[in-house]
Amino acid sequence: MQKLARCLGALLAGLAAVLLATPAVAQGSGETIHGTLTYQDAPVAGVTITVSSADGEEIGVAQTAADGTWEVPVPGPGDYTVVLDAATLPSTAPGVARDTIETTVNSQQRKVVLFRVGPPESGEDQPSPEQTSPPGEGGEDQPPGDGSAEAEAGEDVTATAGNNQLLQLFISGLRFGLILGLAGLGLSLVFGTTGLTNFAHGELLLFGAVAALLINQAGVPILLAVLLATLLSAVFGWGQDRGFWRPLRKKPTGLIALMIISIGVSLFLRYLTQFIIGGGRETYDQYTYQDPVEIGPVFITPRDLVIMGICVALLAAVALALTRTRMGKATRAVADNPALAAASGINVDRVITVVWTAGTALAGLSGIFFGMIQGVDYLMGMRILLLVFAATILGGLGTAWGAMVGALVVGVFIEVSAYVVPSELKTAGVLVVLILILLVRPQGILGRRERVG
Amino acid sequence: MPDDNLSLTAKREAAVAALADVPREPGAKKPDPILVADDVKRHFGGLLAVDVDHVEVQRGAITALIGPNGAGKTTFFNLLTGFDRANSGSWTFNGRSLHGTPPFKVARAGMVRTFQLTKALSKLTVIENMRLGATGQRGESFWRAMLPFTWRGQEDAITERAEELLARFKLDTKRDDFAGSLSGGQRKLLEMARALMVGPELVMLDEPMAGVNPALTQSLLQHVANLREQGMTVLFIEHDMDMVRDIADWVVVMGQGRILAEGPPETVMSDHKVIDAYLGAHHDQSLAELEEQLETGTLAEEVAAELGQAPAEAVPVEHTGETKDGR
Amino acid sequence: MDWGNILELSLRELIGVQAIVFALAAIGINVQFGYTGLLNFGQAAFAAVGGYGIAVIVTTYDMSFWLGLVVGIVGAIVLALLLGIPTLRLRADYLAIVTIAASEIVRLVGRSAWGRDVFGGSDGITGFSSAFYDLNPFTEPFEFGPFQFRERVLWVLVVGWVLVAVCTLVVWLLMRSPWGRVLKGIREDEDAVRSLGKNVYAYKMQSLVLGGVIGALAGMVYSLFQGAMQPDVYATNFTFFAYAILILGGAATVFGPVLGAAIVWFAFQFIDLALRGAIRQDYIPSWFMDANDTGAVRFMLTGIVLVLLLVFRPQGILGDRREIALDAR
Ligand SMILES: Nc1ncnc2c1ncn2[C@@H]1O[C@H](COP(=O)(O)OP(=O)(O)OP(=O)(O)O)[C@@H](O)[C@H]1O
Ligand SMILES: [Mg+2]
């Protein structure tokens, strides 16, 4: 366990080193339209910006934040109209060059739309830097970050990959699956050792993401915040087991009762989060946007590379720990047969506490990664939970390997399916596939059947 | 004395007589088999848990299925009753193939089993447990269930039959208690009584005596013997050799998934192959003698001497040592 | 703070439409979970299918309201079959996860731009309830002590409570029949019931269908009352709420769901109004919470109550302590 903690520390330090060396710009997943409103290099706050779909339906409204940023999530790829309400401009700003911008958002894209604050109608015959270059539909797109004046920063990686879109989606899927794998390990191991299907597992991710957010907002640099939040998650997991689940196990409480209790815990934590951070989506102050780099045929941001690296390293570390360390073997023994494990001298309670602690730390970290990519909001845990369930079930509930394999399958599937399915329906697509797989192979990919009688 | 009731009755005599000419060898043909199984195999990963070439169960007889732990007895039961799927093989009950038949149809066909780990329905009362066993209930269809007058009469008849059985199994005082509040032995009794409510031809009991207070064994034994008196065929799994000797007409021995030996209790228990299966080494004793030795502890010493160890040093010690400081 | 007013408004909720909707949803779950042990975490999907049944038939396809009712119910049956076929042979927690997944699928498809032509996107569908209100026999408001109900509400309340009464009666009849006995047996140990010659799979399916149809009725009542079918009403919280209500009232009791629903909605309204009052009067400092936070507080309380109930009174209000004690053995 100590070794594992040391590993984790080293990895995070590595992450810090790489991230500090790279500039923070833009990238993401889940379509949004966003931008930064500035006038004479100073941010303009409190301006209302409305996004509507092509057929005039209002999608969302945003107000520019203190740093001039604004963001409106959109339901999927398509044409959108972005309108800046000039009436809400502060008196210091003279007006806006064009208050209505039409734009096309591609699958996966975080589209940047920039309004130029200045005297109205002055920009008529100038090139229009306030709007992003046309989105990548053909092969003539230039890769981002090549210095072209038209290609604004923030043009999405996947959109510009053009011919390689499928490969690009596959890479996003891999990233998604790896992070999901981190999240799934805790769920799967807790299930394996205690039989609890923890519906509050999503809130463990949420906890990590929000802890990092709050620490970050308190002025701590994000990388330190990540480290602290992961540690806090571990403490949270430890405390939850010792202070809550262990006494319940001793009581004893039936598995189904425990499952419903976990729903109560989930509701409580989720809405406590809403109470604390509100209903909106928040972002960390760094590494939410970054310039992608070209590696072979694909584009990827350094941040994502580092995240994926950490995930691979952690997953490997857990796999090694499970097979090589005494604690890991004990964990597998408990998962196999708690009574027998206890009878052969394994301290089952301690194993479970370690599983909770490590599982929650991993879940918290994966929550932070999701937070970096998608932003933090109080519903993120619930959204991801279903995918984590899908992943662990696909892999076979209760097995660590299953959780990893299942997560990769789900991650890749969900992203690649965006190629054919409207992206707002890709989650639904995964869930449908989950149900279909259960039809054919009820015990999951790697699970085994139970005995009767 | 219970022993009186176990003396040779007409039915037992008939069963013994019918089996008298059957060769004492695995897969022996019976004059009137109710159950015939062929080439039944079940793998669990690399483990071949059941590998039965041929076995027949004589109608109207009490057949015991014995074998060391993990021999595949329960798994064989599971396969025959449809609770588990065989990798290959076929079996017929009353001449009708039951391969691939779901458990409820197997039960309706007249082949009812009990479980090694008792399955009392805890939050149902004892009498409700019993009523549940009855088949062909009109009130079990969704629409008729809402019209009590369609099933009241039948329900009363079922209740009467259930009460008779409960009285026979001395559970009548527990009639309205939750089944979950019964003792382990009482649950075994209840499970057996409930199985009888189905009206089976063949009763398959998986270790009916396991965990039952010795004071109760005699009466349980008698209940099993009585089943034949009422015209049922019994196939039961048991580890207790005394019980097997007392009531079984025929014994089938399983070891590592295979049928090792068959025959009347006395013949089988002195069979070398059987003793080997239980001990994994050659011994010139019958099983009954071995049991005695086990009880007195002389066998432990003997085995230990053979392995070149002092008897006190149990094998698990090393294992515990490893996991104690398991970090 | 006007305690009289708060109490009056809260008491209305005791028999209000919300109480009806969640009583129905919880009765359905009671059949599935309380009596059969099936963990249906997708009751929201059944309710949504009921609501969409009417809305889509009447508004999108411009057909008869009665056909809408039929389609809603048939839709719920089909959904139950679709979910049940793959999962009812599996362990209980698989059904839980598949049903919760299904409820998200229904919601996501319902609110998608892709299906907007049929399901109306995230705004949902309106304009399908006139046929229902045309049947309203009440022509003037009804007054009862300090309470006053407008004709429209009165009509929904009457229809709703009649539905609750009928469903309760059906459950009562069924659960004292041999059919109900089989369900309870399945809840305790399905292999044992199988070994007694019962087609467990078929019974589970019947239970899932019955509970699902009752859930669809809940969705119908709610969308008719609102005059709108909005997909986001039927998020997973809808289901979890119904579970909380069922467990509060007492799972596997006939009146538990109804009692639970009435109490929960009374308490919700009361807490909500009291909090808002306290905020307005500055009893609660505004830096701590404002009126927008009362919704979150409500859900936090639901969570806490769910946990406390299962820990300290798992049998709920009407349940039998002795039965729960058996679980511990
Ligand atoms: N579902 C299963 N998965 C994997 N292995 C199984 C399963 N069921 C049984 N086995 C294995 O098959 C073998 C036979 O088991 P079975 O339960 O049939 O033994 P048994 O003869 O009934 O033993 P006992 O007398 O101890 O009850 C054992 O080695 C057991 O571990
Ligand atoms: Mg066995």
Side-chain angles (χ1 to χ4, degrees), chain A residues 27-30 32 34 71 108-112 154 156 289 373:
Chain A
Q27 209 272 303
S29 134
T32 65
H34 67 94
E71 178 165 4
Q108 297 268 303
Q109 192 175 24
R110 294 171 63 93
K111 184 81 176 192
V112 177
D156 188 87
Y289 307 121
I373 294 170

Side-chain angles (χ1 to χ4, degrees), chain A residues 451 453, chain B residues 70 72-75 116 206-207 237 239:
Chain A
R451 70 171 283 157
Chain B
K73 306 178 296 290
T74 300
T75 309
Q116 184 167 1
D206 195 346
E207 303 200 16
I237 297 177
H239 285 294

Side-chain angles (χ1 to χ4, degrees), chain C residues 114-269:
Chain C
W114 172 77
R116 196 197 313 261
D117 293 344
V118 180
F119 301 113
S122 56
D123 290 340
I125 306 177
T126 52
F128 52 83
S129 55
S130 56
F132 173 71
Y133 290 105
D134 287 347
L135 297 171
N136 189 351
F138 302 105
T139 49
E140 50 194 61
F142 175 73
E143 287 198 37
F144 172 77
F147 305 104
Q148 200 201 36
F149 296 97
R150 279 177 296 110
E151 308 88 285
R152 216 178 126 92
V153 177
L154 194 59
W155 177 224
V156 180
L157 288 180
V158 167
V159 172
W161 282 109
V162 167
L163 278 177
V164 171
V166 170
C167 291
T168 306
L169 178 71
V170 166
V171 169
W172 180 74
L173 279 173
L174 283 174
M175 293 312 157
R176 50 203 293 283
S177 77
W179 187 83
R181 184 160 64 217
V182 178
L183 293 200
K184 290 181 229 168
I186 292 172
R187 177 188 67 197
E188 300 303 311
D189 191 323
E190 55 179 86
D191 281 333
V193 178
R194 258 188 209 113
S195 76
L196 297 173
K198 315 292 175 203
N199 187 350
V200 167
Y201 188 63
Y203 281 98
K204 282 185 177 181
M205 195 63 97
Q206 290 171 26
S207 163
L208 191 64
V209 168
L210 175 65
V213 166
I214 298 177
L217 294 179
M220 291 176 177
V221 171
Y222 193 67
S223 53
L224 286 174
F225 171 68
Q226 294 276 301
M229 171 63 213
Q230 289 159 316
D232 289 340
V233 169
Y234 304 97
T236 47
N237 282 348
F238 179 95
T239 307
F240 292 161
F241 239 81
Y243 267 88
I245 281 167
L246 173 64
I247 289 165
L248 175 70
T253 62
V254 172
F255 292 105
V258 184
L259 183 68
I263 291 178
V264 161
W265 283 102
F266 168 78
F268 261 24
Q269 182 74 351

Side-chain angles (χ1 to χ4, degrees), chain C residues 1 274 277-285:
Chain C
M1 275 159 83
I279 289 167
R280 218 173 310 117
Q281 311 261 315
D282 286 333
Y283 294 146
I284 298 178

